[in-house]
Amino acid sequence: MSEPSLVDYHCHLDLYSDYDRVLQECINRNIEVLAVTTTPAAWPRNKELSRGAPSVRLALGFHPQLIAERIDDFGLFERYLSESAFVGEVGLDASPRFYKSFDLQLEIFERIVSLCAAASPKVVSVHSVRATSKVLQLVSDAVREKKIVVVLHWFSGSNAEAKRAITAGCYFSVNHQMLGSQSGRVIATSIPIDRILTETDGPFTAMNGRPACPADVQFTLDQLADIRGVSLREMRERIAANADVLDQYAAGSLHSAGSKRKTV
């Protein structure tokens, strides 16, 4: 029996030093990738780089850590937004290093959420470091009204915030570093199985002393299957089906009747 595709729902493909090799591996193995960008200025190059890679979904992003120094790029975000149903990486970062720009981050993220809701449907991969409650406050109406779908990338909030996000209708993309902590494993166990996705956040995470690549989501799948007490096959099928639901939403269909994702 053929296996469902692997899914890396948050990866910075354009930032690998060996981009061509990583992309070719995704193509050869039919690995489904949400390739996020950190600044809208990178959008045209990323479109060109990913041409001919049908398993790559390209997301338009404006990383909160870059907003202060790249604020003039926001006009590009508005210009390119109509070109993709996927948005990311966007969000809020209230960690000490970036807290000084938090008010500006809030202003820009609120505008991004509003723009995405007006241009619905959009699937939005969200960074929420020390800012989960504020993120949820800003996205809840649009998520509830199904104008956007929010995927909380590498969730690091509290159990209470995770419950709020689940109630709000958010998805979660999980990587192996999140599962390296007890709190991360507890949250990964609590997420409904139809709201969970795998990610690497490569090349910003490491695997065996090298940047993690999309194929490394296999390790995260192994971990998830173990902590949730399901078979690896079931976990892989569920992740692929969840990504397929978001693909169909992005294409304008909210009523998926099962996965149509390719198998390899």
Side-chain angles (χ1 to χ4, degrees), residues 196-210:
I196 195 165
L197 297 151
T198 45
E199 64 155 76
T200 60
D201 200 22
F204 294 112
T205 58
M207 179 69 70
N208 298 324
R210 55 160 176 81

Side-chain angles (χ1 to χ4, degrees), residues 44-141:
R45 177 176 176 270
N46 274 275
K47 285 183 67 178
E48 184 60 34
L49 288 173
S50 61
R51 197 178 303 279
S55 65
V56 174
R57 279 68 173 137
L58 190 59
L60 174 68
F62 200 173
H63 200 294
Q65 294 176 356
L66 298 181
I67 282 175
E69 63 187 81
R70 302 296 296 265
I71 187 60
D72 290 343
D73 286 353
F74 188 70
L76 295 176
F77 185 93
E78 294 176 296
R79 180 191 305 177
Y80 297 136
L81 183 60
S82 63
E83 298 183 14
S84 180
F86 299 92
V87 172
E89 179 172 1
V90 297
L92 298 173
D93 192 315
S95 59
R97 182 180 173 188
F98 300 102
Y99 190 75
K100 63 184 178 182
S101 68
F102 193 68
D103 287 344
L104 183 58
Q105 292 179 43
L106 277 171
E107 178 186 341
I108 294 301
F109 184 56
E110 189 167 11
R111 290 172 68 184
I112 286 173
V113 171
S114 179
L115 287 167
C116 289
S120 178
K122 300 290 184 187
V123 176
V124 187
S125 183
V126 176
H127 177 111
S128 57
V129 172
R130 298 192 180 187
T132 301
S133 292
K134 196 65 179 179
V135 162
L136 293 176
Q137 177 185 333
L138 294 176
V139 305
S140 290
D141 287 348

